[in-house]
Amino acid sequence: MSQQNTEIVKIRASTFIPTAWISSSGDGKQLVEFRGDDREFTPHAVNTGRSRIEQEAVVDFSRRTLTEYADTGTSVERITHADGKEDVRTEKASTDGIFCTDPSWYDDRVEFEMHASASNPLVPHPSPVDYCLELTVRYGTVQVRGQHDGYPCYEFYVQTDFGSFETLYRHDFRETGDEALALSGAMEYEFDARI
């Protein structure tokens, strides 16, 4: 990340489920599945509908503004009955739990937090996907202290002045052995990262 004349720094955060479908339950008479995002780690999945949570924070040093964007993917439930008939339900989770705190501006930096908490709206009493990031953005560096659940996959990227995205941090539950049960309770993982 270049320090000279940096004006705009974008932080992009996403959570996603890499498989196409996830089996939820089955009683022998029917199979219940939820659609995943069917993708791998990439900073370019924004606005494709292939993330559970999407969040961006754009720091503009020349205007001293923080612009934010939040979205959720559409949840899809597919119930396949023993006779082969399928019932499909869809709904979109609220973005109310996805936000940035008001920034604190200093001569050489800005500090703020990015929060996300969103649940599958098709499940009664679901545990939400959660993360919280404490960010310090300077003209030449981005520093983050964060927490997140063990499931699903988490990815955080930084882009400076419309250049290439750099990976700030990522978590792959397939490597750590976490499952959907990790959504309940406190956030299991903490990290510090810097670009």
Side-chain angles (χ1 to χ4, degrees):
M1 190 166 145
S2 173
Q3 182 173 344
Q4 296 177 342
N5 302 321
T6 297
E7 288 189 21
I8 296 178
V9 178
K10 179 185 290 184
I11 295 93
R12 179 172 285 176
S14 298
T15 67
F16 68 95
I17 299 168
T19 56
W21 291 93
I22 303 162
S23 294
S24 175
S25 65
D27 60 5
K29 298 178 185 176
Q30 63 183 23
L31 172 65
V32 179
E33 299 171 291
F34 288 96
R35 177 176 282 157
D37 299 302
D38 196 20
R39 73 171 178 91
E40 288 297 330
F41 290 93
T42 177
H44 306 295
V46 68
N47 294 321
T48 64
R50 290 190 179 237
S51 296
R52 297 301 82 213
I53 293 173
E54 293 179 356
Q55 184 180 25
E56 287 186 345
V58 181
V59 174
D60 188 330
F61 282 107
S62 64
R63 296 181 181 181
R64 292 179 66 87
T65 59
L66 175 67
T67 305
E68 56 184 294
Y69 162 83
D71 199 7
T72 59
T74 301
S75 296
V76 178
E77 178 189 59
R78 178 173 70 187
I79 301 173
T80 306
H81 301 276
D83 63 3
K85 182 182 173 186
E86 290 183 355
D87 292 322
V88 176
R89 294 188 311 151
T90 63
E91 195 168 334
K92 202 163 169 65
S94 169
T95 60
D96 289 349
I98 306 169
F99 61 92
C100 294
T101 60
D102 289 335
S104 296
W105 292 92
Y106 302 92
D107 288 342
D108 65 338
R109 69 191 186 281
V110 60
E111 297 175 357
F112 62 96
E113 295 181 4
M114 294 173 70
H115 294 268
S117 184
S119 304
N120 184 339
L122 299 173
V123 175
H125 313 295
S127 296
V129 174
D130 294 308
Y131 65 78
C132 176
L133 309 177
E134 298 175 11
L135 293 136
T136 301
V137 181
R138 289 184 166 82
Y139 289 100
T141 61
V142 173
Q143 191 168 359
V144 62
R145 288 180 40 216
Q147 295 179 292
H148 62 81
D149 290 324
Y151 184 89
C153 292
Y154 293 78
E155 57 186 354
F156 305 105
Y157 302 99
V158 174
Q159 180 192 50
T160 304
D161 289 335
F162 309 107
S164 298
F165 282 96
E166 297 180 65
T167 302
L168 183 59
Y169 173 83
R170 59 187 220 175
H171 168 83
D172 190 336
F173 72 88
R174 297 166 294 183
E175 295 173 357
T176 60
D178 290 293
E179 298 178 357
L181 292 174
L183 294 173
S184 63
M187 292 181 264
E188 296 88 355
Y189 290 88
E190 294 184 7
F191 68 95
D192 287 283
R194 179 183 179 133
I195 289 182

